Amino acid sequence: MKIKSLLVASSLMLISVSGLSAASLIEEAKSLGFASLPKDQKGVDEILKQNGIKATPFSLEKAELGKKLYFEPRLSKSGIISCNTCHNLGLGGTDGIAAAVGHKWTANPHHLNSPTVYNSVLNNVQFWDGRAGTLADQAKGPIEAEPEMATPAKLAVQKISSLPEYVKEFKKIYGKSGVTFDNIADAIANFERTLITPSRFDKFLDGDEKALTKDEQKGLRLFIDKGCVTCHSGVNLGGSMQAFEVAAKYKFSNLGDFKGDANGMVKTPTLRNVAETAPYFHNGAIWSLRDAIKEMGSVQLGIKISNSEAKSIEKFLHTLTGDKPVVTYPQLPISTEKTPKPEL
């Protein structure tokens, strides 16, 4: 009976210690800047305000219009490329290739990889060089860029204005200004704001100590102890400008000519859904998540991360794979005689 009591007491003690360990890890993660994803658009607004990012008021009507425009191939000169081409919502919000391919089958001239669109509203900056501060500003870039959608702003407005259904919708939402390039980008940005993907890691941060397994918690512990949190922190575990090649030369640095912004800073990619967004790095040169982890240890931290350590960290990173919002492919307006013809 005494032995049985001791065993029960020991079991309870282990549970208590285990629970305390998980609880302390949660508190430490929060103290280092980790935060769970916002539950609604009010929460998104709060994060934008914290980051000093201005955005127009969100509305479901804007988001629905933006969804159509996100899938609208006529916003490209060829009539076959949409935002979803490079930021495919069925492929983790990316295109699954090393360098984006655009108009006339042109590969990105800088050999830049397409970042995920999921949770991108929570980034401090947009584009690899951080040149855009908002999703609306970001949306304009690919539409006009010759190697991407190749549609000048004036032509984009002309195309959308040739479709009565769009004209009516823009007038209802934006009033007298109607179809403008700014409003096109704003609508797309409002749709992209809805692409939030809550994961088991968010449940863990919110206090569910069993949301992560012991092995996954061990991976998080290593992620913190190795110093990965230096750049990959905040609600998006990335999304801010950081120095690159801090400790060593990136082994594929000669692939493409991208060197960051004027100060050599690079936007740190979000790690949310990272298990779904291979290949990795700005030039998409590494296809294995485990190899990417080890390369970051060398390049950024000046340490060697062993294969077993990388495997453990990788287990944690898989907990960042989130639930995707259900997006129904929209039925788009039929072209009219006034709609500019595609140019291949």
Side-chain angles (χ1 to χ4, degrees), residues 82-104:
S82 71
C83 301
N84 193 62
T85 303
C86 290
H87 303 284
N88 193 313
L89 299 185
L91 290 173
T94 65
D95 50 21
I97 57 178
V101 173
H103 188 59
K104 294 185 178 181

Side-chain angles (χ1 to χ4, degrees), residues 13 182 214:
M13 187 178 294
D182 283 345
K214 290 302 173 186

Side-chain angles (χ1 to χ4, degrees), residues 72-81 103-104 149-151 155 158-159 162-163 335-344:
E72 179 56 82
R74 286 166 295 188
L75 274 176
S76 66
K77 186 180 284 188
S78 65
I80 58 175
I81 299 172
H103 188 59
K104 294 185 178 181
M149 297 171 78
T151 304
L155 178 59
Q158 187 181 353
K159 285 188 169 195
S162 73
L163 307 168
S335 295
T336 68
E337 292 182 359
K338 294 181 179 180
T339 305
K341 301 297 184 290
E343 297 179 41
L344 299 174

Side-chain angles (χ1 to χ4, degrees), residues 8 50 67 76 94 96 112 138 169 191 202 254 266 303 337 341:
V8 171
Q50 290 169 13
K67 180 172 74 171
S76 66
T94 65
L112 289 174
Q138 187 280 329
E169 221 170 331
F191 168 62
D202 296 290
N254 291 328
V266 177
I303 60 174
E337 292 182 359
K341 301 297 184 290

Side-chain angles (χ1 to χ4, degrees), residues 166-228:
Y166 277 141
V167 172
K168 183 178 179 181
E169 221 170 331
F170 270 90
K171 186 176 181 180
K172 179 182 177 182
I173 295 170
Y174 292 100
K176 291 182 179 179
S177 61
V179 181
T180 67
F181 196 50
D182 283 345
N183 290 344
I184 289 172
D186 181 66
I188 293 172
N190 268 259
F191 168 62
E192 291 177 339
R193 282 182 55 145
T194 67
L195 302 177
I196 304 296
T197 63
S199 67
R200 287 191 292 119
F201 180 60
D202 296 290
K203 291 180 180 179
F204 186 68
L205 287 178
D206 287 340
D208 183 352
E209 297 174 16
K210 294 182 180 179
L212 303 190
T213 67
K214 290 302 173 186
D215 283 344
E216 290 163 347
Q217 290 179 39
K218 181 182 175 183
L220 172 55
R221 175 80 270 161
L222 267 175
F223 183 87
I224 292 171
D225 290 346
K226 291 293 182 181
C228 307

